[in-house]
Amino acid sequence: MCGRYRLTTKGKNLEQLFDAEFDDQPARLEGRELSVKPRFNVAPTDVMPVVRIQEDGRHHISGLRWGLVPFWSKDLSGGARMINARAETVFEKAAFKDSLRRRRCLVLADGFYEWKTLPSTTQKPKKQPVLFAFDDDRPFAMAGLWARWKGPPGLVESFTILTTGANELVGPVHDRMPLILDAADRAAWLDPDNEDVDLQRLAEPRPIAGFTLRLVSSKVGNVKNDDESVLVPDAPDEKS
DNA sequence: CCAGACGTTGTT
DNA sequence: GTCTGG
DNA sequence: CCAGACGTTGTT
DNA sequence: GTCTGG
């Protein structure tokens, strides 16, 4: 699955690479705002950049809250629960139906984390966090859905990340991974008038050229640790 | 028909 | 164990 | 996803 | 809004 990711690429580069412009007025949702700093540990409920087609027909990058809050939600409390949607079944789910039809988006990232559960003789199983990213750390687009919810306390736009079966690289660590879209598939995914999105094809697990795996620090488990130190792997023989 | 939920993951 | 918050 | 809390009453 | 369960 994808419950934590990284976005350290500068805004200007994102605009260039995804042919989209940031909104003039950054969103402020629930007291949080779109951060301009490099993010090494993005967590659910964070406000992050997402590419959408806006009313003017152009691609825009806006700050949305991670964790889908459908427009019919009574409050924001469920907002941290719908952080992912399974590509295989998203068509069948009432909670996603509306967003899937006309509100698809791209979630920008330059890495995602997965935790490998290691066998343990003692009590709790150990978790080894792993970063998956391109070897040159260039950003990529994950398939997402978004929704608009009206408060009180105000307007909240939010998103969820589609997941699919792990490919050959991710499989040994975890059985799920985010659905990453090739550049060639992005425009069709974003187009709300495109009613022929072949999700089955897009979700087919396949290798991604240049993608690699790196062991990282267990510090990444705590959302408070949001700096480059989370990339430093734990010492090999640390206590047992 | 109405009422009530609407999600994913992992672990046992 | 299970729910909430980030 | 992981980490951290998980409760009520009354008093300051 | 839309689906499921009763």
Side-chain angles (χ1 to χ4, degrees), chain A residues 193-233:
Chain A
D193 295 323
N194 175 14
E195 296 183 5
D196 300 311
V197 173
D198 188 353
L199 193 48
Q200 193 165 356
R201 176 182 69 81
L202 296 174
E204 191 67 32
R206 67 203 146 68
I208 301 169
F211 235 69
T212 59
L213 160 166
R214 292 170 228 172
L215 301 188
V216 295
S217 170
S218 52
K219 284 177 67 179
V220 76
N222 193 321
V223 300
K224 289 182 297 189
N225 300 320
D226 186 22
D227 57 63
E228 59 193 347
S229 70
V230 302
L231 301 182
V232 180

Side-chain angles (χ1 to χ4, degrees), chain A residues 17-19 59 106 134 138-142 180-190 201-202 206 208:
Chain A
L17 287 162
F18 295 96
D19 190 28
H59 294 186
L106 304 178
F134 281 111
R138 66 182 182 274
F140 50 88
M142 303 185 285
I180 294 171
L181 292 173
D182 289 337
D185 293 320
R186 289 173 197 156
W189 176 255
L190 287 176
R201 176 182 69 81
L202 296 174
R206 67 203 146 68
I208 301 169

Side-chain angles (χ1 to χ4, degrees), chain A residues 51-123:
Chain A
V51 178
R52 300 182 291 184
I53 293 184
Q54 302 233 311
E55 287 163 14
D56 61 8
R58 298 193 309 183
H59 294 186
H60 280 252
I61 304 178
S62 310
L64 275 70
R65 186 187 202 258
W66 185 12
L68 199 77
V69 183
F71 70 93
W72 41 258
S73 294
K74 291 185 187 70
D75 52 51
L76 282 175
S77 62
R81 272 184 286 226
M82 286 193 262
I83 63 172
N84 293 133
R86 291 177 68 93
E88 300 92 327
T89 57
V90 66
F91 280 106
E92 309 162 8
K93 305 297 183 180
F96 297 131
K97 186 144 197 163
D98 192 53
S99 290
L100 182 64
R101 203 169 84 79
R102 289 189 66 84
R103 281 184 292 281
R104 298 180 294 266
C105 63
L106 304 178
V107 182
L108 305 184
D110 50 37
F112 64 88
Y113 299 99
E114 300 289 355
W115 279 258
K116 183 182 177 72
T117 304
L118 303 171
S120 168
T121 50
T122 58
Q123 298 261 320

